[in-house]
Amino acid sequence: MYLGVDYYPDYWPEEWMEDDLEGIAGLGANMVRIGEFAWHRMEPRDGAFDFSFFDRVLEKVKKKGLRVLFGVPTATFPAWLAAKHPSILSRDETGAVRVFGGRRQYCFNSPEYRKYALRLAARLVEHYRDEPAIAAWQIDNEFGHEGSDMCYCPNCLAAFRRYLKETYGSIDRLNETWGTIFWGQTYNDFDEIPLPLPTITTHNPSLRLDWARFRSRSLNDFARALVETVRKHKGPHQAVTTNLAGGFFGKWFDHAEHAALYDFISYDQYPVWGGLAEPLAPGELAMHLDFVRGLTGKPFWIVEQLIGAQGHDMIGYLPRPGQARLWSFQSFARGCSDMLYFVWRAMNRGAEQFCTGIVDHDNVRGRKYEEARDVFRDIAPHAELLKSGIRAEVAVLYDHDNIWSWRFQPQSEAFDFPREMLRLYEPFYRLNCPMDVIPANRDFSGYKVLLVPVMQIIDAALARRLEAFVEAGGTVVFSFRAGIRNKANNLHVGVPLPGPVAD
Amino acid sequence: MYLGVDYYPDYWPEEWMEDDLEGIAGLGANMVRIGEFAWHRMEPRDGAFDFSFFDRVLEKVKKKGLRVLFGVPTATFPAWLAAKHPSILSRDETGAVRVFGGRRQYCFNSPEYRKYALRLAARLVEHYRDEPAIAAWQIDNEFGHEGSDMCYCPNCLAAFRRYLKETYGSIDRLNETWGTIFWGQTYNDFDEIPLPLPTITTHNPSLRLDWARFRSRSLNDFARALVETVRKHKGPHQAVTTNLAGGFFGKWFDHAEHAALYDFISYDQYPVWGGLAEPLAPGELAMHLDFVRGLTGKPFWIVEQLIGAQGHDMIGYLPRPGQARLWSFQSFARGCSDMLYFVWRAMNRGAEQFCTGIVDHDNVRGRKYEEARDVFRDIAPHAELLKSGIRAEVAVLYDHDNIWSWRFQPQSEAFDFPREMLRLYEPFYRLNCPMDVIPANRDFSGYKVLLVPVMQIIDAALARRLEAFVEAGGTVVFSFRAGIRNKANNLHVGVPLPGPVAD
Amino acid sequence: MYLGVDYYPDYWPEEWMEDDLEGIAGLGANMVRIGEFAWHRMEPRDGAFDFSFFDRVLEKVKKKGLRVLFGVPTATFPAWLAAKHPSILSRDETGAVRVFGGRRQYCFNSPEYRKYALRLAARLVEHYRDEPAIAAWQIDNEFGHEGSDMCYCPNCLAAFRRYLKETYGSIDRLNETWGTIFWGQTYNDFDEIPLPLPTITTHNPSLRLDWARFRSRSLNDFARALVETVRKHKGPHQAVTTNLAGGFFGKWFDHAEHAALYDFISYDQYPVWGGLAEPLAPGELAMHLDFVRGLTGKPFWIVEQLIGAQGHDMIGYLPRPGQARLWSFQSFARGCSDMLYFVWRAMNRGAEQFCTGIVDHDNVRGRKYEEARDVFRDIAPHAELLKSGIRAEVAVLYDHDNIWSWRFQPQSEAFDFPREMLRLYEPFYRLNCPMDVIPANRDFSGYKVLLVPVMQIIDAALARRLEAFVEAGGTVVFSFRAGIRNKANNLHVGVPLPGPVAD
């Protein structure tokens, strides 16, 4: 069982490292995550690789008996790369280029970016393939977070058209599926298809769902290329993971498909964030944990567990003494097997000065230090138990086609997808009933009860599986709008509602 | 008297047409509107015209004894045209091009668009000039709706400058009228005049009113060119109309000037729309109907009468049983002579899946089918009565200069033009007093009472007519801000308020 | 002591001037401000200067025994200049060019604009250097108001990089100071540094503070060049001032540094503005007046004192009878030595038709005329008293680094900088205790009490001065977040809070 902290030795004077690692070891930790945002430190100029700093870090880390989760730092690219190839920068929904100076503002469909990112990954992993202290590689950081899964650049337009061509083969088939005859939008050629940028009223719902799927594929293809590169060069003792951010239902990628790329999945748990006056409610946190566990059905790591107040330009609720401990134990109870706290010490410069960690800016080991140490001490004896798995008889089903379809056509201003999930989830949660939150294409025959919130898109195959489940004695609970749409995001026609699940 | 439905045979498998028309005829209908969005079906490639599909439709329609309102489908242009001539796409107030994929996102001042639209209209109407079943042509669709009357493209900038040159003759006269000496904005040349795009604080109110008039002229000139083309090619038995959308006071064109282009005017009545939790109140609906009738002083058609819930991304209030009937009869009572329900069956694909019609997506003829049939049955005997006209002794006056001036200078966040109209209209409505809602340049000498809400722009001619009206025994009711501005949208100077109507 | 009005003879028929000046003299006035927005009148074509109109104005003004505050009209440039050199137009935070048609939408870093503005200033001032009636020159108008201190154009990007190069010397020093190692943003070259346009999440806080300082320097450099030009050409009897707009804490320039450019500072006092339903509270008005006086420690002029309702597209609260008098006397009581009312008569055309003055559009001298006349009559005997100065034992300290840092990182949605100022200021105000509001770098050793609201950035020098102040018996009142950041806008590290003022 790994317990530890996120540590950025590159942010601080090198001579502080000894003392920092001493403090980290004093927590009872056995792991640090490093390297996450250090592309420029590794490649300060195009092609000029230099890992000597991290060589020294690893030497020191090992002396303390710590293992390492090493970040492949493609989430933040160096300034020289943006200056040299501005086409790597993604564009927002107004068409504006997101300038250098934040993070993750690269386009997943930029061939230039992919080339540079894969080269870095190959060189880095190759360099440390024989390093026994590195237990795992973390790919990028919080893929798709903060709007970084959306881009409207020319690269994306071209790739979207290629994607549609691959998907539909002929333009006639696309026209028929999308119903472009409506409003006379029939396309003669894939090259006539627009990005769903602002128009008058709204875009075709099938186009928009395909755009969402394309966004997902763009992200997952990029991630897959990175993972494959890392797998090719890594040592056999090194695992591959990534750290998922929260806000799953507001993202444009299929999380389960993404999770399948890795040896295990990691999660960054922030029960509260900048601007929030109160943390998320326990039931919602539980559902998120069940969602993460449900991605693979296996225990997961938390590699960023909140321990102090957070925020960029706005600071959120200050966690009270013991509250981080509470959240940590809730996580262990719902599938978390290994945990790193974010962060050893908040950076005093840059955008995250208000993202506080175990040690505050005064560098004094105080209340939070003790809280983390106590959590580690108390959980460490239960490592095996945490890997024993969770057995649930109730499952909540979701799929991304539905999430995305609701997102761009909420149908009502009162609609909120996570709230609709919770509406079915929470009554069971209150009864302390173990639940899984799983994609609808997962085998659900072993459950007793299926909760199916607002699943408007249901195809014949899923309808048949649900029927079989019920015939075998299971109970299915639908909520409103179930089954009204097909996989093209279009309403069924000529059949009574709710379509394939009308029985 | 024509009663019927909007029907889009192009949206459905051709073999469904027989059954659909059977159902339509079963309503007691005698008309369908077709063709409205079918440009691509008629001209699938540049210059390659093909009307064979509609030939077949007409054949079938005639067999059922139905007549046709045929849409000239210029509201939605084909994708190939946008790809070939991107300059036809209009630009919003940020300068962003509205991409293909919605509707009506063409620029009225695009010479290319006009060329293609007129060519299509000529070919289509010529093709059916001898078709007896076609009783009328509908020009475009809901001109100016959903922001489509506003565009800030280079074509519009050049045309605006030409418009100003024509209007003012010399730049000195423009400078004097606008008062450009204020803030030192004197123009030496018409080519220095900007589009009213964002600047610091705000643009000259005269420029903005002229911009509004120019927008109106842009739309009406385009419409006139289309109407003239249709008139040139149509059969003598075929009338010409267009369908006005609601929201008159939020649009940038002179509706009465527009209405004068046609043989009769049509209206699309939606008492509720996507996102509205409640329908408009009866008094407001009445005022809108009186406004439409007041455009020509003659009975009008409703060619899209709501019968089910509506919405694009947001769905609105669900009309209760009998409510569409209620709205229909209110319309008949206020000047509607012929009525088509929107729509036979909502399209199951594309942007309007939630715009429901007589038959729902299950294709079952149910409650709404019966409601429409009963309305047709009950109103049909009264065709002559509906054409007998409405005599009112009270008139509400408005003009577009005032509407536009208030729109960009509301003077107070609490100001709402339609509400100010209603403030004077509604007390009479509650007394069931017949009223006309008419442009101020209409002869109003025959009324007993004139209601003149918030008419800040009043010129000497109107003031004299109002004086004469009062001298002849009439009563004029003004509301606040009456007469403070001249036709250049500038405050009177050197005279006591309310300017020309101070007496 | 000067008392008078803002007068725009260029806005009105020349034959009205005689009567207007008669009326102005009748107020008991001895000064008019003229020329402020008249660039086009003075240079109707590139290089074609013509001051004959103002020659005639001065002749008439002098006949009435009035003196003149003459505006150097660079706040509003002529249309021909914008057409000839579009690069002078500033760009907003979306990158959109602010079009001609408003005011002050020029870029302070445009070399073209500077060239034309300085040439105009030189020619104008040279022309009137020997004019005894001109007592003072007003530079530009309300520098930085209404967002005009912000621009994201290519000129600004290049100048920002030059500014950083000058400030830091080497890119390594910038990287170290900003902590660009965070998120791997290390710059290899100044030319890689972006404008802080939208990115994903947020920009580096040091970059943003330097951007704010650069904005300030851009404005102040431009103003300095203008002032130097005017000083070079003016007569020795002519003073130089500018008129500050309100909203100090929402602006991007250092007001005290700005104020130091002039012989005395002027202020435009608008206790209420368009859209405000209520005027600012007396305490807030007092704090603003103390702020203006505190810029130089000397009496100041008010050259635009509100007397009627104001507004561009939205009109604000209508001042009640006697309320302008009240505000005027409050101003005299807090350091105003000379006063001009805005405006003699509101322009009936252009953007400020609803900015009413002493005489309304009916051109009748009524209630407000009498109110202004009475104020002049009552205050005139106290000219010497008004120059006697104000002695305060309590001072409120602020500095712009703090204002700006809070502005882009408010840390909480409930945070409002002026409210935090008022939180400490108002209790003393309620006790009618004289106060100064002064920059923190001013000598404050003579006060008894220092109020230091939300001063998160405190450097060692200021900390030492505060310590010395306390040691000498003074009292310092801090509020929350005091001293947490250094001058690079970064959190202190390794020291207990509140950093340098922890004692």
Short mmCIF file of all heavy atoms in Angstrom, two decimals, chain B residues 261-295:
data_model
loop_
_atom_site.label_atom_id
_atom_site.label_comp_id
_atom_site.label_asym_id
_atom_site.label_seq_id
_atom_site.Cartn_x
_atom_site.Cartn_y
_atom_site.Cartn_z
N LEU B 261 -45.61 44.41 -49.09
CA LEU B 261 -45.08 43.71 -50.26
C LEU B 261 -45.99 42.59 -50.74
O LEU B 261 -45.87 42.13 -51.87
CB LEU B 261 -43.71 43.11 -49.94
CG LEU B 261 -42.59 44.06 -49.49
CD1 LEU B 261 -41.38 43.27 -49.02
CD2 LEU B 261 -42.21 44.98 -50.67
N TYR B 262 -46.87 42.14 -49.86
CA TYR B 262 -47.57 40.87 -50.11
C TYR B 262 -49.04 41.08 -50.43
O TYR B 262 -49.61 42.13 -50.13
CB TYR B 262 -47.43 39.96 -48.89
CG TYR B 262 -45.98 39.76 -48.51
CD1 TYR B 262 -45.39 40.52 -47.50
CD2 TYR B 262 -45.18 38.85 -49.21
CE1 TYR B 262 -44.06 40.36 -47.16
CE2 TYR B 262 -43.84 38.69 -48.88
CZ TYR B 262 -43.28 39.45 -47.86
OH TYR B 262 -41.97 39.29 -47.55
N ASP B 263 -49.67 40.05 -50.98
CA ASP B 263 -51.11 40.09 -51.23
C ASP B 263 -51.89 39.99 -49.93
O ASP B 263 -52.96 40.58 -49.79
CB ASP B 263 -51.50 38.95 -52.17
CG ASP B 263 -50.84 39.12 -53.53
OD1 ASP B 263 -50.79 40.27 -54.02
OD2 ASP B 263 -50.35 38.13 -54.08
N PHE B 264 -51.37 39.22 -49.04
CA PHE B 264 -51.92 39.17 -47.68
C PHE B 264 -50.78 38.74 -46.78
O PHE B 264 -49.75 38.24 -47.25
CB PHE B 264 -53.11 38.22 -47.57
CG PHE B 264 -52.77 36.79 -47.87
CD1 PHE B 264 -52.31 35.92 -46.88
CD2 PHE B 264 -52.88 36.30 -49.18
CE1 PHE B 264 -51.97 34.62 -47.17
CE2 PHE B 264 -52.53 34.99 -49.48
CZ PHE B 264 -52.09 34.14 -48.48
N ILE B 265 -50.99 38.92 -45.50
CA ILE B 265 -49.91 38.62 -44.57
C ILE B 265 -50.27 37.37 -43.77
O ILE B 265 -51.44 37.11 -43.49
CB ILE B 265 -49.64 39.84 -43.64
CG1 ILE B 265 -48.23 39.78 -43.09
CG2 ILE B 265 -50.66 39.93 -42.53
CD1 ILE B 265 -47.18 40.13 -44.09
N SER B 266 -49.24 36.60 -43.45
CA SER B 266 -49.45 35.42 -42.62
C SER B 266 -48.68 35.57 -41.32
O SER B 266 -47.75 36.38 -41.23
CB SER B 266 -48.98 34.16 -43.34
OG SER B 266 -49.70 33.99 -44.54
N TYR B 267 -49.08 34.80 -40.37
CA TYR B 267 -48.52 34.95 -39.02
C TYR B 267 -48.30 33.56 -38.44
O TYR B 267 -49.08 32.64 -38.69
CB TYR B 267 -49.52 35.75 -38.16
CG TYR B 267 -49.15 35.94 -36.70
CD1 TYR B 267 -47.84 36.22 -36.31
CD2 TYR B 267 -50.13 35.84 -35.71
CE1 TYR B 267 -47.54 36.39 -34.96
CE2 TYR B 267 -49.83 36.03 -34.37
CZ TYR B 267 -48.53 36.29 -34.00
OH TYR B 267 -48.22 36.46 -32.67
N ASP B 268 -47.24 33.43 -37.69
CA ASP B 268 -46.95 32.17 -36.99
C ASP B 268 -47.23 32.41 -35.52
O ASP B 268 -46.45 33.08 -34.84
CB ASP B 268 -45.49 31.76 -37.18
CG ASP B 268 -45.19 31.39 -38.64
OD1 ASP B 268 -46.13 31.29 -39.44
OD2 ASP B 268 -44.01 31.20 -38.95
N GLN B 269 -48.32 31.87 -35.03
CA GLN B 269 -48.67 32.17 -33.65
C GLN B 269 -48.19 31.07 -32.68
O GLN B 269 -48.69 29.95 -32.71
CB GLN B 269 -50.18 32.36 -33.47
CG GLN B 269 -50.44 33.11 -32.14
CD GLN B 269 -51.82 32.92 -31.56
OE1 GLN B 269 -52.47 31.91 -31.78
NE2 GLN B 269 -52.26 33.92 -30.81
N TYR B 270 -47.25 31.45 -31.83
CA TYR B 270 -46.76 30.56 -30.78
C TYR B 270 -46.98 31.23 -29.44
O TYR B 270 -46.14 32.00 -28.99
CB TYR B 270 -45.28 30.25 -31.00
CG TYR B 270 -45.03 29.38 -32.20
CD1 TYR B 270 -44.75 29.95 -33.43
CD2 TYR B 270 -45.12 28.00 -32.11
CE1 TYR B 270 -44.55 29.15 -34.55
CE2 TYR B 270 -44.93 27.19 -33.23
CZ TYR B 270 -44.64 27.78 -34.45
OH TYR B 270 -44.45 26.98 -35.54
N PRO B 271 -48.07 30.95 -28.78
CA PRO B 271 -48.31 31.59 -27.48
C PRO B 271 -47.31 31.16 -26.41
O PRO B 271 -47.22 31.78 -25.35
CB PRO B 271 -49.73 31.12 -27.12
CG PRO B 271 -50.36 30.76 -28.43
CD PRO B 271 -49.24 30.20 -29.24
N VAL B 272 -46.56 30.11 -26.70
CA VAL B 272 -45.53 29.68 -25.77
C VAL B 272 -44.40 29.09 -26.59
O VAL B 272 -44.62 28.58 -27.69
CB VAL B 272 -46.11 28.67 -24.74
CG1 VAL B 272 -46.48 27.36 -25.39
CG2 VAL B 272 -45.12 28.46 -23.59
N TRP B 273 -43.20 29.19 -26.05
CA TRP B 273 -42.04 28.69 -26.78
C TRP B 273 -41.04 28.09 -25.80
O TRP B 273 -41.21 28.19 -24.58
CB TRP B 273 -41.40 29.83 -27.60
CG TRP B 273 -40.35 29.29 -28.53
CD1 TRP B 273 -39.01 29.42 -28.39
CD2 TRP B 273 -40.59 28.47 -29.67
NE1 TRP B 273 -38.38 28.73 -29.41
CE2 TRP B 273 -39.33 28.13 -30.21
CE3 TRP B 273 -41.74 27.95 -30.28
CZ2 TRP B 273 -39.18 27.32 -31.33
CZ3 TRP B 273 -41.58 27.14 -31.41
CH2 TRP B 273 -40.31 26.84 -31.92
N GLY B 274 -40.03 27.46 -26.34
CA GLY B 274 -39.03 26.78 -25.54
C GLY B 274 -38.50 27.62 -24.41
O GLY B 274 -38.08 28.75 -24.63
N GLY B 275 -38.51 27.07 -23.22
CA GLY B 275 -37.97 27.79 -22.07
C GLY B 275 -39.01 28.57 -21.29
O GLY B 275 -38.77 28.94 -20.15
N LEU B 276 -40.17 28.83 -21.90
CA LEU B 276 -41.21 29.57 -21.18
C LEU B 276 -42.02 28.61 -20.30
O LEU B 276 -42.58 27.63 -20.79
CB LEU B 276 -42.17 30.26 -22.15
CG LEU B 276 -41.66 31.50 -22.87
CD1 LEU B 276 -42.81 32.16 -23.64
CD2 LEU B 276 -41.07 32.50 -21.88
N ALA B 277 -42.10 28.93 -19.03
CA ALA B 277 -42.85 28.07 -18.10
C ALA B 277 -44.36 28.30 -18.22
O ALA B 277 -45.16 27.44 -17.87
CB ALA B 277 -42.40 28.33 -16.67
N GLU B 278 -44.72 29.48 -18.71
CA GLU B 278 -46.14 29.82 -18.87
C GLU B 278 -46.33 30.45 -20.25
O GLU B 278 -45.45 31.14 -20.75
CB GLU B 278 -46.58 30.84 -17.81
CG GLU B 278 -46.60 30.32 -16.40
CD GLU B 278 -47.66 29.27 -16.17
OE1 GLU B 278 -48.68 29.29 -16.89
OE2 GLU B 278 -47.45 28.42 -15.28
N PRO B 279 -47.49 30.27 -20.85
CA PRO B 279 -47.74 30.97 -22.12
C PRO B 279 -47.95 32.47 -21.89
O PRO B 279 -48.18 32.91 -20.76
CB PRO B 279 -49.03 30.32 -22.65
CG PRO B 279 -49.60 29.54 -21.54
CD PRO B 279 -48.60 29.41 -20.44
N LEU B 280 -47.84 33.23 -22.96
CA LEU B 280 -48.15 34.65 -22.87
C LEU B 280 -49.59 34.82 -22.39
O LEU B 280 -50.45 33.99 -22.66
CB LEU B 280 -47.98 35.32 -24.24
CG LEU B 280 -46.57 35.23 -24.86
CD1 LEU B 280 -46.50 36.08 -26.13
CD2 LEU B 280 -45.49 35.66 -23.87
N ALA B 281 -49.82 35.95 -21.72
CA ALA B 281 -51.16 36.22 -21.19
C ALA B 281 -52.12 36.56 -22.34
O ALA B 281 -51.70 37.03 -23.40
CB ALA B 281 -51.09 37.38 -20.20
N PRO B 282 -53.42 36.34 -22.13
CA PRO B 282 -54.40 36.57 -23.19
C PRO B 282 -54.35 37.99 -23.75
O PRO B 282 -54.47 38.19 -24.97
CB PRO B 282 -55.74 36.32 -22.48
CG PRO B 282 -55.40 35.38 -21.36
CD PRO B 282 -54.02 35.74 -20.93
N GLY B 283 -54.12 38.97 -22.89
CA GLY B 283 -54.08 40.36 -23.37
C GLY B 283 -52.92 40.59 -24.31
O GLY B 283 -53.04 41.29 -25.33
N GLU B 284 -51.79 40.00 -24.00
CA GLU B 284 -50.62 40.19 -24.87
C GLU B 284 -50.84 39.47 -26.21
O GLU B 284 -50.50 40.01 -27.27
CB GLU B 284 -49.37 39.66 -24.17
CG GLU B 284 -48.11 39.99 -24.94
CD GLU B 284 -46.85 39.97 -24.09
OE1 GLU B 284 -46.93 39.57 -22.90
OE2 GLU B 284 -45.78 40.37 -24.60
N LEU B 285 -51.41 38.29 -26.15
CA LEU B 285 -51.72 37.58 -27.39
C LEU B 285 -52.68 38.40 -28.25
O LEU B 285 -52.52 38.50 -29.47
CB LEU B 285 -52.33 36.21 -27.08
CG LEU B 285 -51.38 35.21 -26.43
CD1 LEU B 285 -52.16 33.97 -25.99
CD2 LEU B 285 -50.28 34.83 -27.40
N ALA B 286 -53.65 38.99 -27.60
CA ALA B 286 -54.63 39.82 -28.33
C ALA B 286 -53.93 41.00 -28.99
O ALA B 286 -54.18 41.32 -30.16
CB ALA B 286 -55.70 40.30 -27.36
N MET B 287 -53.06 41.63 -28.26
CA MET B 287 -52.36 42.79 -28.81
C MET B 287 -51.52 42.38 -30.02
O MET B 287 -51.45 43.11 -31.02
CB MET B 287 -51.48 43.43 -27.75
CG MET B 287 -50.85 44.73 -28.20
SD MET B 287 -49.93 45.54 -26.87
CE MET B 287 -48.41 44.60 -26.88
N HIS B 288 -50.91 41.22 -29.95
CA HIS B 288 -50.12 40.76 -31.09
C HIS B 288 -51.01 40.51 -32.31
O HIS B 288 -50.65 40.86 -33.43
CB HIS B 288 -49.37 39.48 -30.73
CG HIS B 288 -48.30 39.69 -29.70
ND1 HIS B 288 -47.64 38.65 -29.10
CD2 HIS B 288 -47.78 40.81 -29.17
CE1 HIS B 288 -46.75 39.14 -28.23
NE2 HIS B 288 -46.83 40.45 -28.27
N LEU B 289 -52.15 39.92 -32.07
CA LEU B 289 -53.07 39.66 -33.18
C LEU B 289 -53.56 40.98 -33.78
O LEU B 289 -53.64 41.14 -35.00
CB LEU B 289 -54.25 38.81 -32.70
CG LEU B 289 -53.87 37.36 -32.30
CD1 LEU B 289 -54.97 36.74 -31.44
CD2 LEU B 289 -53.61 36.51 -33.55
N ASP B 290 -53.87 41.93 -32.91
CA ASP B 290 -54.30 43.24 -33.40
C ASP B 290 -53.18 43.93 -34.17
O ASP B 290 -53.42 44.64 -35.15
CB ASP B 290 -54.75 44.13 -32.23
CG ASP B 290 -56.06 43.63 -31.61
OD1 ASP B 290 -56.70 42.70 -32.18
OD2 ASP B 290 -56.45 44.15 -30.55
N PHE B 291 -51.95 43.69 -33.72
CA PHE B 291 -50.79 44.24 -34.43
C PHE B 291 -50.70 43.65 -35.83
O PHE B 291 -50.50 44.38 -36.81
CB PHE B 291 -49.51 43.93 -33.62
CG PHE B 291 -48.23 44.28 -34.31
CD1 PHE B 291 -47.62 45.51 -34.09
CD2 PHE B 291 -47.61 43.39 -35.18
CE1 PHE B 291 -46.43 45.84 -34.72
CE2 PHE B 291 -46.43 43.71 -35.81
CZ PHE B 291 -45.83 44.94 -35.58
N VAL B 292 -50.84 42.35 -35.93
CA VAL B 292 -50.73 41.70 -37.24
C VAL B 292 -51.84 42.20 -38.15
O VAL B 292 -51.60 42.57 -39.31
CB VAL B 292 -50.77 40.17 -37.09
CG1 VAL B 292 -50.82 39.50 -38.47
CG2 VAL B 292 -49.56 39.67 -36.30
N ARG B 293 -53.05 42.23 -37.64
CA ARG B 293 -54.18 42.71 -38.47
C ARG B 293 -53.95 44.17 -38.86
O ARG B 293 -54.25 44.58 -39.99
CB ARG B 293 -55.48 42.57 -37.69
CG ARG B 293 -56.73 42.81 -38.54
CD ARG B 293 -58.00 42.79 -37.70
NE ARG B 293 -58.05 43.93 -36.80
CZ ARG B 293 -57.90 43.85 -35.47
NH1 ARG B 293 -57.73 42.69 -34.87
NH2 ARG B 293 -57.93 44.95 -34.73
N GLY B 294 -53.37 44.91 -37.91
CA GLY B 294 -53.15 46.33 -38.17
C GLY B 294 -52.11 46.62 -39.23
O GLY B 294 -52.03 47.74 -39.75
N LEU B 295 -51.31 45.62 -39.57
CA LEU B 295 -50.28 45.86 -40.58
C LEU B 295 -50.88 46.19 -41.92
O LEU B 295 -50.33 46.97 -42.70
CB LEU B 295 -49.37 44.63 -40.70
CG LEU B 295 -48.47 44.35 -39.49
CD1 LEU B 295 -47.73 43.03 -39.68
CD2 LEU B 295 -47.49 45.50 -39.28
#
